[in-house]
Amino acid sequence: MRNHNSTFFKSIVASLAMILFMLPAYAQTSITGKVTDKETGEPMVGTNIVIKGMTIGATTDIDGNFKLQTKVSPPFTLVFSSIGYDNQEVEVTSASQVINMGLASSVIMGQEVVVSASRIEENIMESPVTVEKMGILDIQETATPDFYDAIANMKGVQVNKGSLTFTSVNTRGFATNANTRFVQLVDMIDNSAPLLNFPTGNLVGIDELDLESVELVPGAASALYGPNAFNGILFMTSKNPFDYQGLSAQVKSGVTRSDAQGETNPMWSGSIRYAKVFNDKLAVKVNFSMLDATDWVGNDYASDRRYPNQFVSNDPGITPDFDGLNMYGDEFKITIPINTSIADAAEAGLLPGLPASKTLADGFRTLDPISVTRTGLREEDIIDAYEAKSIKADAAIHYKINDDLEASYTYRYGSGSSIYQGGEKYAIRGFSQQFHKAELQGKNYFLRGYATLTDAGDSYNMTALATFTNEEFSPTAARWAPTYGIYYGLARLGLLYQADPSVPAGKIYSEEEAHRIARGAADAPPPPEGGFGIPPAGSPRFNEVVKDVRENRYFQRNPPGARFIDNSRTYHVEGNYNFADVIDWAELMVGGNFRRYSLLSEGTIFNEDPENGENFERIAIDEFGIYAQIAKKFIEDRLKLTGSLRFDKNENFEGQITPRISAVMRAGDNHHFRTSFQTGFRNPDTQAQFIYFPSTSGILLGGTESNAGRYGIYKGGAISPRTGETLNLDYVQPEKLSVWEVGYKSIINGNVMVDVNYYYNWYQDFMNQIVVASKEPSTHQGQTLPAGTLFAPYINAEEEITSQGIGLGVTYKLPKGFTFNGNYNWAKMKLNEDEGSDFIPDFNTPENRFSLSLANRDLVKNLGFNVSYRWQQQFYWWNTFGAGNMPSYDVVDAQVSYRIKSIKSMIKVGGSNLFGGDYRTSIGAPFVGQMYYISVTFDEAMR
């Protein structure tokens, strides 16, 4: 455990700030001209003009005019590009040349350029691995209410919705609502929360107005991107202010409704972007957006999360140990010895009809102990509000040091309210992340450093909130359990008249009736004069206690509560160099990175001070990686072979080597075959390394030796509570993955693009948690943990796991501007396990799913539409929160848009889940209903 030092990051920022003023602007060449639509003759605003192979360039103004000044002397080539139009190149031969250019609408398929697959720009047809992309037009015209929801329609993608503002992307399985096997990058910044360990989706991500592209690599990518790029990686890239100038704004208003909500609720969002270039050297941009809505509701109080696929009644007489899916505080099973309860009550004089000396052994019929749970509190009764909010703001400054080198600094802030579900359910309230990034981007290299700063805000845990609220009303050991035991025993023995004179003496109740009577007595409201008892939900006393536990008390404090602290940081620096200008016999690239996690929860989550719980110091975790990639073309450039190799080292684990080899073969002009062997690995996340947290299943314990060694449960120090056998657990190590993939991509007749791929995955050392009991006592913060204490440590499973899948995507450009898109995905998992194994991998993926869409940007002049349909098959969901079969569901989204060119605006009317009822994407998740909206977007660059 060490304190962090951010001096290196401050130095980067200071150096870049000084660079901004080092070189004066000086132009030897001045090119002017105008760009118009080749078909209509209308001026085109926002067209990008750059010198080929350099970063220097300009954009057209509202009248289509441009002026490009540079110290580069002719001859050189200018590249004209605009969204929805074919690129055009023009040779410049004069230092004062005038160029008037007409651009034609793009009708050529397969011309997209991607960067994510190989860390270099390449045509999407030549990518060595499967990659999906959304460009600006796709983002603007998606059928879904938000671009992030449109990711669900990409090939190979399944989404889990834990909230209206929190969507988790699942590619190739083994994911929950918190997909820790997936990496999400916003302008190359990892936006995973260091404490909760999940990519934060678009809760604090990027605003749609500033989004240039979305790229998705669904498979392993560790050979180039390092740890945790295990089952997929998502890239969201914002607009460079040099390329996208001017003002844009959007207002969206609508309603949400679901059967679970029971009513229609308003929603609205607004965003604004402004970018400006000064003297062709300096560019700035600012963004702000805000969303406010009512969240989807989870109110399944009839299902028991411990008995998947079985009918279990929530009647306490039938199921006394009921654990409601969206009820909390009912997770712990309580064993009550009935005979002892009644004897103790008689001894204390609480049952006046029984002599104090009389015991059950003196003639009373004895009863076996019973196992029950506390009565759970409903989610809607304890949550502060079903609010879904998101605030995003950022500002960036870019400076062109010369024609080949650009410096930039970006500050990004995001805050929101949402629902997050992992092993427990959390109400995220005022959660925020700040991002600082400084970058030097050259023609063939980059150097960037960034820091992320996380604050949990007023977030809280639902289970803890209900559990400690119940304890405040009626302590389990001192009041609630004895009361339950006494009334159950009296009812079963014909002695209930001792506590209730209205009951006939000798009346014996059945087990079901006895449980109902006992729970009613234990849950009785407090007497008028005050004291222990469970007040009705919504009453002043109920709300007072819930609010106190929710807002003023913290995990692992005295008195305990539902809040937690997250003041964690991530510091990251990385660089890359491409030898394109140094060697010409192959493509060679090298790079590396260093990262430090600086964790601080003040003992609420992480085990910062296991000795006395007073001196909470930051936990620092350092890791680094280096990589190289070489590629070469053969057979008249039709065959491209690529090899990548990476080494990573985390201070708590052995070093990891991850290779990747690939081949892409072009047959004819439009047929591309690809194959690759890839590897990936995932370091145990920060919780898997350093958590210490009492939970419903036992004490959650990070599996590194420096954290868990003191508790003695590894290396033969634990037993199985189920079998009693000794367990020889090893400290947790990284997961590993090997992938073989083949694919084919082709353009047929110029208007049909087909992309199909097959993959086969081998998993080793799959991370898991099991419940064990300690053999020997240990200590924590000065308190003794007796032998038999239950722990839930992180371990690596010995079972062999494989999975395979097929993805098929088709894009068909139909006559009169119609475009059809469709994709189908098949996935299957196989587990080879020993008899009696408790291991259940969270594959959580339907075997079959597909999506279809039909769109036309100009159905009639300026009027467009997009409608999409997706379906997924029933599948089995499992994680530590709950398990069971998730029913199949289908979703229809649609929008109609109209462009008003005279005011550079677009009106869009749409809806999601138009014809369906409520659906859920995982066990315990909220019921997702419908959203209807209208939006107005203004953009100076709109055509």
Side-chain angles (χ1 to χ4, degrees):
M1 300 183 183
R2 300 181 299 276
N3 286 321
H4 68 88
N5 189 326
S6 61
T7 302
F8 79 96
F9 179 76
K10 295 178 180 177
S11 298
I12 292 174
V13 176
S15 298
L16 290 178
M18 293 177 63
I19 287 171
L20 298 179
F21 305 97
M22 289 175 57
L23 296 174
Y26 177 70
Q28 295 175 329
T29 303
S30 180
I31 310 300
T32 59
K34 184 172 184 176
V35 181
T36 58
D37 185 298
K38 194 171 185 178
E39 181 179 351
T40 66
E42 296 181 355
M44 292 180 55
V45 61
T47 299
N48 296 318
I49 304 102
V50 298
I51 299 176
K52 190 173 183 178
M54 300 182 183
T55 61
I56 194 71
T59 57
T60 55
D61 61 20
I62 196 169
D63 297 315
N65 298 318
F66 73 92
K67 182 177 182 180
L68 186 151
Q69 291 182 318
T70 176
K71 66 181 181 180
V72 179
S73 299
F76 55 79
T77 301
L78 288 183
V79 180
F80 292 74
S81 62
S82 188
I83 302 165
Y85 290 80
D86 294 335
N87 291 355
Q88 293 290 330
E89 297 185 1
V90 176
E91 287 292 325
V92 174
T93 57
S94 170
S96 57
Q97 193 166 334
V98 177
I99 300 174
N100 294 318
M101 171 64 63
L103 296 185
S105 297
S106 175
V107 295
I108 301 176
M109 303 181 68
Q111 297 302 305
E112 297 97 328
V113 173
V114 294
V115 181
S116 56
S118 303
R119 276 193 179 267
I120 58 173
E121 289 189 357
E122 59 189 352
N123 185 282
I124 195 170
M125 302 292 290
E126 299 176 352
S127 169
V129 296
T130 298
V131 60
E132 304 293 316
K133 181 174 182 177
M134 283 196 297
I136 289 181
L137 288 181
D138 302 313
I139 294 165
Q140 290 177 348
E141 299 169 6
T142 176
T144 58
D146 181 80
F147 83 90
Y148 203 86
D149 293 328
I151 295 172
N153 294 320
M154 284 183 164
K155 179 167 64 72
V157 173
Q158 172 202 1
V159 298
N160 296 313
K161 295 191 73 68
S163 167
L164 189 145
T165 51
F166 189 87
T167 300
S168 175
V169 178
N170 176 13
T171 58
R172 303 198 173 175
F174 304 105
T176 64
N177 289 319
N179 190 353
T180 56
R181 295 179 175 90
F182 186 83
V183 173
Q184 179 172 283
L185 302 176
V186 177
D187 284 337
M188 299 307 294
I189 298 175
D190 187 343
N191 75 343
S192 294
L195 183 146
L196 294 176
N197 298 134
F198 60 83
T200 50
N202 205 36
L203 176 66
V204 295
I206 188 171
D207 183 64
E208 185 173 304
L209 285 179
D210 193 39
L211 185 63
E212 182 183 47
S213 66
V214 177
E215 294 185 25
L216 175 76
V217 179
S222 292
L224 289 178
Y225 296 100
N228 308 331
F230 192 71
N231 266 4
I233 184 167
L234 180 72
F235 301 80
M236 292 183 286
T237 303
S238 68
K239 297 173 180 176
N240 188 303
F242 279 112
D243 299 331
Y244 301 90
Q245 294 188 60
L247 175 69
S248 52
Q250 183 184 88
V251 176
K252 184 184 298 181
S253 181
V255 296
T256 63
R257 73 158 309 278
S258 67
D259 296 335
Q261 286 176 339
E263 59 184 0
T264 299
N265 294 289
M267 63 80 61
W268 72 271
S269 66
S271 55
I272 188 168
R273 178 187 188 271
Y274 181 73
K276 177 69 174 176
V277 177
F278 302 91
N279 299 323
D280 297 323
K281 285 284 187 179
L282 180 67
V284 297
K285 71 172 179 178
V286 292
N287 290 278
F288 178 81
S289 67
M290 185 174 183
L291 177 145
D292 191 7
T294 299
D295 212 339
W296 306 122
V297 173
N299 57 359
D300 184 348
Y301 307 130
S303 299
D304 189 311
R305 64 180 184 172
R306 289 188 305 219
Y307 301 98
N309 310 320
Q310 299 180 29
F311 173 77
V312 178
S313 173
N314 63 354
D315 181 337
I318 299 173
T319 315
D321 60 349
F322 184 78
D323 182 2
L325 194 57
N326 294 127
M327 301 179 74
Y328 310 99
D330 54 358
E331 295 80 13
F332 297 94
K333 284 190 177 182
I334 307 162
T335 300
I336 304 176
I338 305 304
N339 304 321
T340 303
S341 296
I342 295 178
D344 288 346
E347 188 71 27
L350 299 178
L351 301 174
L354 292 177
S357 60
K358 192 75 172 178
T359 68
L360 298 177
D362 293 327
F364 287 101
R365 181 165 57 91
T366 60
L367 298 172
D368 293 331
I370 57 174
S371 182
V372 302
T373 57
R374 290 289 302 254
T375 305
L377 303 182
R378 304 190 312 171
E379 181 175 305
E380 61 191 303
D381 293 332
I382 60 175
I383 196 170
D384 59 319
Y386 279 106
E387 61 179 15
K389 294 183 177 180
S390 177
I391 297 174
K392 304 167 194 169
D394 65 84
I397 181 169
H398 292 241
Y399 185 78
K400 291 186 176 179
I401 299 171
N402 57 45
D403 291 344
D404 295 323
L405 184 61
E406 182 177 316
S408 63
Y409 167 76
T410 301
Y411 171 77
R412 188 181 298 276
Y413 172 85
S415 176
S417 295
S418 187
I419 298 294
Y420 159 67
Q421 179 183 312
E424 304 280 357
K425 183 171 280 193
Y426 295 82
I428 303 299
R429 298 292 181 261
F431 171 87
S432 68
Q433 284 185 295
Q434 298 181 63
F435 307 90
H436 299 266
K437 185 184 75 166
E439 182 171 9
L440 284 172
Q441 180 71 57
K443 179 182 177 182
N444 294 316
Y445 67 91
F446 69 79
L447 175 65
R448 72 172 63 98
Y450 65 79
T452 71
L453 298 80
T454 306
D455 188 340
D458 298 322
S459 304
Y460 56 90
N461 178 289
M462 296 283 201
T463 298
L465 173 57
T467 298
F468 297 126
T469 295
N470 266 337
E471 288 297 307
E472 184 78 8
F473 290 145
S474 182
T476 299
R479 174 76 181 188
W480 192 91
T483 301
Y484 196 114
I486 290 169
Y487 276 80
Y488 177 87
L490 295 178
R492 293 290 291 134
L493 296 170
L495 301 173
L496 189 57
Y497 70 92
Q498 295 284 341
D500 184 355
S502 65
V503 174
K507 179 176 176 58
I508 296 177
Y509 292 85
S510 68
E511 287 188 28
E512 290 187 3
E513 294 171 319
H515 276 296
R516 294 191 189 99
I517 291 169
R519 189 167 296 272
D523 288 344
E529 63 273 15
F532 292 122
I534 312 296
S539 66
R541 173 61 178 163
F542 183 92
N543 292 340
E544 174 189 354
V545 173
V546 168
K547 183 177 181 180
D548 183 46
V549 177
R550 186 176 62 211
E551 299 180 5
N552 302 321
R553 304 186 190 180
Y554 290 83
F555 291 167
Q556 305 193 61
R557 294 283 199 269
N558 190 17
R563 290 188 62 181
F564 60 95
I565 295 169
D566 183 9
N567 189 19
S568 299
R569 311 281 185 257
T570 303
Y571 301 97
H572 184 98
V573 62
E574 63 179 320
N576 174 285
Y577 188 84
N578 189 319
F579 288 84
D581 288 344
V582 179
I583 61 175
D584 58 8
W585 54 269
E587 300 172 10
L588 177 63
M589 175 181 63
V590 298
N593 71 273
F594 170 82
R595 176 176 292 191
R596 167 170 289 182
Y597 295 100
S598 179
L599 312 174
L600 183 62
S601 71
E602 297 187 19
T604 57
I605 299 290
F606 293 123
N607 203 8
E608 290 105 329
D609 182 16
E611 291 295 335
N612 55 40
E614 296 177 356
N615 302 314
F616 300 118
E617 297 183 354
R618 287 185 176 273
I619 298 173
I621 306 173
D622 291 342
E623 60 186 33
F624 73 89
I626 55 175
Y627 61 89
Q629 177 173 274
I630 187 168
K632 186 171 178 59
K633 292 184 176 181
F634 302 89
I635 315 177
E636 298 179 343
D637 292 344
R638 291 183 175 275
L639 173 65
K640 184 176 182 178
L641 302 180
T642 305
S644 309
L645 186 66
R646 182 178 175 112
F647 174 78
D648 286 275
K649 180 68 174 72
N650 180 294
E651 66 175 290
N652 294 318
F653 311 108
E654 297 179 355
Q656 301 294 316
I657 298 175
T658 49
R660 182 179 85 172
I661 56 174
S662 65
V664 179
M665 181 69 185
R666 177 167 56 90
D669 292 331
N670 295 318
H671 303 279
H672 294 79
F673 299 87
R674 65 184 185 269
T675 184
S676 63
F677 174 78
Q678 307 170 64
T679 54
F681 78 100
R682 172 187 170 230
N683 281 330
D685 57 46
T686 56
Q687 288 194 21
Q689 294 184 51
F690 285 102
I691 195 173
Y692 181 97
F693 185 72
S695 76
T696 57
S697 56
I699 298 172
L700 304 183
L701 189 65
T704 56
E705 184 174 4
S706 58
N707 184 64
R710 65 181 291 120
Y711 304 105
I713 61 171
Y714 286 86
K715 304 297 183 181
I719 59 175
S720 169
R722 183 171 59 87
T723 65
E725 65 178 318
T726 295
L727 301 174
N728 188 23
L729 306 179
D730 289 326
Y731 294 108
V732 70
Q733 293 295 321
E735 292 180 343
K736 303 177 187 66
L737 167 65
S738 299
V739 185
W740 174 64
E741 182 174 343
V742 294
Y744 167 74
K745 186 172 286 188
S746 176
I747 295 185
I748 304 171
N749 297 328
N751 57 4
V752 179
M753 184 165 70
V754 177
D755 184 9
V756 61
N757 68 287
Y758 168 81
Y759 65 87
Y760 193 91
N761 293 344
W762 296 266
Y763 294 90
Q764 294 177 289
D765 297 326
F766 207 87
M767 265 182 275
N768 188 31
Q769 285 178 276
I770 61 172
V771 176
V772 303
S774 60
K775 281 186 174 181
E776 303 292 336
S778 59
T779 62
H780 179 75
Q781 296 183 357
Q783 302 296 316
T784 299
L785 302 176
T789 297
L790 294 181
F791 288 88
Y794 286 82
I795 64 166
N796 298 100
E798 297 179 355
E799 286 80 1
E800 296 180 3
I801 302 174
T802 60
S803 69
Q804 57 182 320
I806 295 173
L808 171 64
V810 177
T811 299
Y812 187 8
K813 283 189 175 293
L814 298 163
K816 297 184 178 181
F818 288 89
T819 301
F820 168 81
N821 284 280
N823 67 73
Y824 164 77
N825 301 274
W826 173 81
K828 191 77 171 179
M829 184 270 293
K830 182 179 180 182
L831 171 65
N832 297 319
E833 58 182 332
D834 296 331
E835 184 177 352
S837 172
D838 293 328
F839 176 55
I840 304 177
D842 47 356
F843 188 58
N844 297 336
T845 301
E847 184 170 348
N848 295 284
R849 62 188 188 276
F850 69 85
S851 70
L852 307 170
S853 71
L854 183 67
N856 192 321
R857 189 166 187 256
D858 285 295
L859 182 63
V860 295
K861 187 175 181 180
N862 298 325
L863 180 69
F865 80 95
N866 193 345
V867 58
S868 66
Y869 172 83
R870 57 188 170 89
W871 170 88
Q872 69 177 41
Q873 188 178 21
Q874 173 182 293
F875 69 98
Y876 186 80
W877 173 277
W878 184 94
N879 78 330
T880 52
F881 185 87
N885 280 329
M886 291 304 306
S888 64
Y889 67 85
D890 54 1
V891 175
V892 175
D893 302 321
Q895 62 89 1
V896 176
S897 61
Y898 184 76
R899 297 189 303 281
I900 308 175
K901 293 185 177 181
S902 61
I903 57 173
K904 307 293 183 183
S905 298
M906 181 173 70
I907 299 173
K908 187 174 179 180
V909 178
S912 64
N913 192 22
L914 290 178
F915 306 114
D918 291 0
Y919 69 93
R920 286 181 292 183
T921 60
S922 62
I923 294 293
F927 292 93
V928 180
Q930 297 79 44
M931 178 186 292
Y932 308 95
Y933 66 91
I934 180 171
S935 69
V936 179
T937 303
F938 167 80
D939 191 342
E940 285 187 352
M942 185 175 293
R943 290 174 296 281

